[in-house]
Amino acid sequence: MVTLTNLVLTTAFAAAGLASVIPPKIGTTVLDNGHGTSSGRASLKQVRRPGYRFNGARDIYKTYLKYGVPVPDYLKKAVANIDALNAAAVSKREKGSAPAIPVDPRFDIAYVTPVTIGTPPQTLYLDFDTGSSDLWVFSSHTLASQVRGQMIYSPEKSTTAKLLAGHTWSIRYGDGSGSLGNVYTDNFTVGGVTVTSQAVQTAQQVSTSFTSESDIHGLVGLGFSTLNTVYPNGQLTFFDNAKSQLDSPVFTADLKWKKEGTYDFGFIDETKYTGEITYLPVQTDPGYWTFTSSGYAVGDGSFNQVSISGIADTATSLTYLPTAVVTSYWRQVEGAVNSQYYGGYVFPCSSKLPSFTFGVGSANITIPGSYINYAQITEGSPTCFGGLQSSSGLGINIWGDVALKAAFVVFNGGNPPTIGWARKPLEQ
């Protein structure tokens, strides 16, 4: 077995709460010691969702649902508008006997990560979500009418599954729909790290927004456990349960542009970033990884020093910032408009997008303009959907994957918790 160097995080914040720059200690990635036992670290790749059809308005719609915000009528209509355009495109291809086309490799849209549950192990592809704290899955208890191709977890087929008697869970969304069900405990494995007796929330009912996503079989909440919705006793997240067997109480997100990214648990891989990691304090109430950015710049423009408090959310595709910030960005893009028909900022795909830089303490992270070109409205359209949108309707700023892909991000669950940001080589 390779000798591992444990990571030690020491945090020293000034009275004003400024970021500290801490050179991390790292070791080599070891998934298994050759005998089927965990090494205290895990590294796993995300997987592309080959059947996904892009709808930028639906991504914004789902963000409203996730954070319990009523969905405005124009956004509901925008989802229908783009769905109709997609349906027309599919009809034309089928009539022309064209082959099915997977997700366009020019765009980053959606990824899932394989996990196993139970004994013998059952594999599901789940969405890792630092913006929630429920580990819930499609299951053999889910209404048949709400399962459309998802893999399901069957606790009755696992010899290690146990019903957590008297416990239920329920999540209500901004459109009035919801997901709910029972709770079991079972073995849960992520990249070689296994938690026994992990609370697994088995869905009996799911929101229509999840039914329509056949490649997402549930969520792994990686927010703070205080957000967990199990009643009457909230349950710990996978990360909180796994901390004791990890080399360090950290996980990292190295999300990528145009290809699979990785999540690492228990260690920091120095080959995945350059320079130093800048750590910022985290506001954990009510349970998000909330930090404060020190400002922003558009392209080669001057840096605007303004505090922007927001959530680092790996399960939100877009980035949502204050209207003034977003407006200042899209003013620099020829032909960009805030379209109610399409549900957000769109622009001619031929337009060159400037970069967007945001401050993390005394350091900066730059999102290349190409990352902010989220995708074409529909396949072959000359109009593209922006990856940077206004947070005004949400009431909360969210640093989603458009921003996270531009950095190496450390979620440090130590005491106190911090979030670390570092630059890395970027795909252009």
Side-chain angles (χ1 to χ4, degrees):
M1 178 175 177
V2 178
T3 301
L4 304 176
T5 304
N6 289 341
L7 165 72
V8 179
L9 292 178
T10 57
T11 308
F13 294 118
L18 297 179
S20 58
V21 178
I22 307 170
K25 299 180 180 179
I26 63 96
T28 39
T29 305
V30 179
L31 300 182
D32 192 286
N33 65 5
H35 302 285
T37 58
S38 170
S39 68
R41 338 188 133 198
S43 181
L44 57 159
K45 289 185 177 181
Q46 297 167 298
V47 180
R48 284 191 182 275
R49 296 169 51 206
Y52 188 84
R53 190 163 300 284
F54 177 76
N55 186 329
R58 186 180 297 281
D59 283 339
I60 296 180
Y61 181 96
K62 290 191 295 183
T63 305
Y64 273 76
L65 300 189
K66 176 177 180 178
Y67 289 98
V69 180
V71 180
D73 288 339
Y74 82 85
L75 190 54
K76 296 176 184 177
K77 293 178 181 177
V79 172
N81 291 337
I82 298 179
D83 278 345
L85 292 172
N86 276 326
V90 170
S91 176
K92 290 177 182 177
R93 282 197 301 276
E94 289 175 346
K95 290 177 181 176
S97 299
I101 300 173
V103 173
D104 191 324
R106 292 173 297 170
F107 304 125
D108 285 324
I109 296 178
Y111 295 91
V112 288
T113 303
V115 305
T116 61
I117 311 174
T119 308
Q122 302 173 43
T123 299
L124 279 76
Y125 289 83
L126 306 184
D127 193 355
F128 280 31
D129 183 7
T130 56
S132 71
S133 301
D134 290 274
L135 195 169
W136 72 263
V137 296
F138 279 80
S139 74
S140 54
H141 304 161
T142 308
L143 291 172
S145 61
Q146 296 180 350
V147 180
R148 297 182 185 171
Q150 290 87 355
M151 294 180 181
I152 63 172
Y153 163 60
S154 301
E156 63 274 9
K157 295 182 180 179
S158 172
T159 59
T160 46
K162 296 180 181 178
L163 177 67
L164 195 58
H167 286 71
T168 59
W169 62 280
S170 177
I171 304 173
R172 302 301 298 177
Y173 300 106
D175 65 347
S177 67
S179 301
L180 56 86
N182 294 322
V183 185
Y184 284 79
T185 59
D186 207 342
N187 295 342
F188 187 85
T189 300
V190 172
V193 174
T194 297
V195 170
T196 58
S197 298
Q198 171 64 48
V200 179
Q201 299 164 223
T202 53
Q204 294 176 318
Q205 174 183 312
V206 298
S207 165
T208 54
S209 64
F210 286 105
T211 295
S212 63
E213 298 282 2
S214 62
D215 301 300
I216 294 179
H217 311 151
L219 299 180
V220 179
L222 293 173
F224 294 92
S225 293
T226 51
L227 269 182
N228 183 265
T229 68
V230 172
Y231 178 84
N233 300 309
Q235 300 297 300
L236 295 180
T237 65
F238 162 76
F239 178 53
D240 277 347
N241 279 324
K243 281 181 186 177
S244 62
Q245 59 180 299
L246 297 176
D247 286 0
S248 296
V250 301
F251 66 93
T252 66
D254 183 23
L255 307 185
K256 297 291 188 180
W257 185 63
K258 295 186 178 181
K259 67 180 189 179
E260 292 85 356
T262 56
Y263 289 100
D264 293 338
F265 287 81
F267 71 106
I268 297 176
D269 185 345
E270 69 178 357
T271 66
K272 294 181 177 179
Y273 67 93
T274 59
E276 297 178 315
I277 301 175
T278 300
Y279 288 88
L280 301 174
V282 169
Q283 169 55 255
T284 62
D285 183 25
Y288 302 122
W289 291 88
T290 303
F291 70 99
T292 299
S293 168
S294 55
Y296 72 97
V298 177
D300 296 328
S302 59
F303 188 82
N304 299 279
Q305 293 188 338
V306 56
S307 294
I308 305 173
S309 177
I311 298 166
D313 185 352
T314 57
T316 294
S317 300
L318 308 180
T319 288
Y320 301 85
L321 296 179
T323 299
V325 176
V326 174
T327 300
S328 69
Y329 179 83
W330 291 112
R331 279 177 181 162
Q332 304 301 315
V333 179
E334 183 177 358
V337 294
N338 190 6
S339 168
Q340 287 202 349
Y341 183 86
Y342 289 125
Y345 273 97
V346 297
F347 60 95
C349 297
S350 57
S351 294
K352 180 176 176 58
L353 300 188
S355 61
F356 181 86
T357 298
F358 61 98
V360 286
S362 59
N364 293 324
I365 299 295
T366 297
I367 308 171
S370 54
Y371 289 27
I372 302 173
N373 183 342
Y374 188 46
Q376 293 169 306
I377 294 300
T378 59
E379 186 177 327
S381 171
T383 302
C384 284
F385 200 84
L388 179 62
Q389 300 287 343
S390 171
S391 63
S392 62
L394 291 167
I396 189 170
N397 300 313
I398 304 172
W399 301 92
D401 294 344
V402 165
L404 299 177
K405 286 182 295 190
F408 178 79
V409 187
V410 180
F411 296 86
N412 168 30
N415 188 16
T418 57
I419 186 168
W421 296 83
R423 297 176 182 176
K424 66 182 181 183
L426 297 178
E427 299 79 15
Q428 297 283 352

